[in-house]
């Protein structure tokens, strides 16, 4: 029994002598692993980039989105003010012709390379058909002024108005082959052309014209007619309105008309004939 106890004590001592060192070694290994893991965590935390909330790094968008973002969106179209006309236009109109002065007048217009509009009387056209033909050939507008130039006869009724206009129209057509539509009634449309008269001529296809510049050449038989005409043109220019100039086909007017032609061309006006596309001036 004593031997057995002795052997058991010896085994216990041997076991303890082995287990104690092993336990210590295992303990050190475990502590070391914990310390290593903790150090790695601190190192990893130290390497993180801390960014403020307002500077958070966003993931890079796909290339397609970047390209779409670069597409320029056109600005809303701005309404532009109408640009001014590249040139100023004036319209010279001559009533009561043709006369013995018409040839000289046409020569002046040809010299200045400008056009005019002639509102003519039936009897005068029949006396000077060659001048009517020349007007057409040189690009002037042919208009109707009637037959009698008598206020009482012309404005007696709408039928008398149409009768005179139709007769003068046939004469122009016979001479030139052209069917005119532009008309100017004697002494202007006011007050003779009643609303029913205006409606009747419009239904017949005529275009009624008055004027906004009166040369008063029927009253001023000298240079004063040019002065008053220029004064009215200057007033209209301030309002950006084209002058429709009333003059008469007569020797006294033709004598001074070159001064007006020189003034208008120097001021940059293009002198053109009236046509059917222009909104007419009517009193």
């Amino acid at each position: 029994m004593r031997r057995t106890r002795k052997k058991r004590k010896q085994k216990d001592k041997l076991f303890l002598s082995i287990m104690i060192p092993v336990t210590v070694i295992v303990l050190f290994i475990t502590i070391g692993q914990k310390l290593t893991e903790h150090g790695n965590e601190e190192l990893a935390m130290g390497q993180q980039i801390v960014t403020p909330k307002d500077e958070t790094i966003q993931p890079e968008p796909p290339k397609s989105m970047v390209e779409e973002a670069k597409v320029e969106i056109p600005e809303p179209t701005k309404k532009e003010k109408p640009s001014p006309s590249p040139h100023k236009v004036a319209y010279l109109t001559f009533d009561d012709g043709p006369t013995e002065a018409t040839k000289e007048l046409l020569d002046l217009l040809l010299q200045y390379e400008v056009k005019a509009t002639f509102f003519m009387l039936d009897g005068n056209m029949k006396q000077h058909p060659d001048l009517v033909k020349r007007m057409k050939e040189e690009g002037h507008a042919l208009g109707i002024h009637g037959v009698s130039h008598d206020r009482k006869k012309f404005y007696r009724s709408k039928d008398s108005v149409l009768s005179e206009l139709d007769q003068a129209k046939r004469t122009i057509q016979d001479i030139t082959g052209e069917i005119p539509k532009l008309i100017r009634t004697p002494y202007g449309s006011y007050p003779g052309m009643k609303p029913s008269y205006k409606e009747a001529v419009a239904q017949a296809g005529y275009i009624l014209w008055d004027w906004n510049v009166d040369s008063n050449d029927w009253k001023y038989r000298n240079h004063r007619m040019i002065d008053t005409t220029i004064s009215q043109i200057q007033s209209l220019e301030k309002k950006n309105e084209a002058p429709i100039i009333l003059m008469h086909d007569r020797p006294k007017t033709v004598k001074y008309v070159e001064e007006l032609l020189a003034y208008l061309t120097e001021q940059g006006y293009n002198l053109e004939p009236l046509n059917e596309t222009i909104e007419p001036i009517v009193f």
Side-chain angles (χ1 to χ4, degrees):
M1 289 293 292
R2 290 182 178 178
R3 288 181 180 180
T4 303
R5 290 178 181 176
K6 186 176 181 180
K7 287 181 180 181
R8 186 177 296 172
K9 288 181 180 180
Q10 289 177 349
K11 288 180 180 180
D12 291 341
K13 288 181 180 180
L14 179 62
F15 177 77
L16 289 175
S17 64
I18 294 172
M19 289 303 297
I20 290 172
V22 170
T23 302
V24 171
I25 292 171
V26 171
L27 181 62
F28 274 106
I29 291 173
T30 302
I31 293 172
Q33 288 177 344
K34 294 291 185 180
L35 289 174
T36 301
E37 289 176 0
H38 183 69
N40 288 338
E41 289 178 0
E42 289 183 349
L43 178 60
M45 290 179 64
Q47 290 177 343
Q48 287 182 350
I49 298 174
V50 180
T51 55
K53 291 183 180 180
D54 58 344
E55 295 182 1
T56 303
I57 299 174
Q58 299 293 335
E60 184 178 351
K63 186 177 180 181
S64 59
M65 292 179 62
V66 175
E67 291 176 351
E68 290 178 2
K70 290 181 179 179
V71 176
E72 295 182 359
I73 301 174
E75 295 182 1
T77 304
K78 296 180 180 179
K79 292 183 179 180
E80 297 181 358
K81 295 181 179 180
S83 58
S85 174
H87 59 262
K88 297 183 290 186
V89 181
Y91 301 91
L92 273 175
T93 66
F94 295 93
D95 290 4
D96 300 349
T99 68
E100 64 275 13
T102 306
K103 181 182 181 302
E104 183 181 353
L105 176 56
L106 289 173
D107 290 343
L108 281 172
L109 297 174
L110 184 62
Q111 176 185 336
Y112 279 83
E113 299 181 341
V114 298
K115 309 300 179 185
T117 302
F118 291 88
F119 292 102
M120 297 176 285
L121 293 169
D122 182 70
N124 289 350
M125 289 189 286
K126 289 176 178 176
Q127 289 183 22
H128 304 282
D130 55 328
L131 294 175
V132 180
K133 290 178 181 178
R134 182 181 170 186
M135 290 173 190
K136 180 185 177 182
E137 291 170 358
E138 295 181 358
H140 304 291
L142 308 181
I144 302 168
H145 200 38
V147 179
S148 67
H149 209 286
D150 184 308
R151 195 189 303 269
K152 291 182 179 180
K153 289 182 179 179
F154 188 90
Y155 295 109
R156 183 181 295 126
S157 67
K158 66 179 180 181
D159 292 331
S160 63
V161 170
L162 288 172
S163 176
E164 290 207 18
L165 296 177
D166 289 344
Q167 181 176 328
K169 178 179 73 173
R170 287 191 296 270
T171 299
I172 293 177
Q173 186 175 2
D174 291 342
I175 295 172
T176 66
E178 180 177 323
I179 302 176
K181 293 185 177 181
L182 307 181
I183 65 171
R184 175 174 286 160
T185 57
Y187 310 101
S189 66
Y190 181 82
M193 287 292 285
K194 299 176 182 179
S196 60
Y197 296 6
K198 291 180 179 179
E199 182 179 355
V201 298
Q203 289 180 351
Y206 293 115
I207 302 173
L208 178 62
W209 272 96
D210 286 311
W211 58 86
N212 57 14
V213 174
D214 189 348
S215 66
N216 288 297
D217 60 347
W218 55 273
K219 178 170 62 174
Y220 303 131
R221 305 300 178 90
N222 52 35
H223 191 275
R224 191 173 178 183
M225 72 173 73
I226 304 303
D227 292 338
T228 187
T229 299
I230 291 175
S231 177
Q232 293 172 71
I233 291 170
Q234 290 172 341
S235 296
L236 289 174
E237 185 173 351
K238 294 177 182 177
K239 297 185 287 185
N240 198 29
E241 294 182 17
I244 314 297
I245 305 166
L246 168 65
M247 305 192 90
H248 292 83
D249 188 344
R250 60 179 63 176
K252 287 289 185 180
T253 298
V254 175
K255 181 179 179 180
Y256 294 98
V257 76
E258 185 172 6
E259 294 182 39
L260 180 60
L261 293 175
Y263 170 80
L264 290 170
T265 52
E266 288 172 1
Q267 295 300 312
Y269 280 95
N270 280 13
L271 275 66
E272 301 178 0
L274 296 175
N275 61 67
E276 299 173 12
T277 66
I278 305 171
E279 183 69 25
I281 291 177
V282 181
F283 295 152

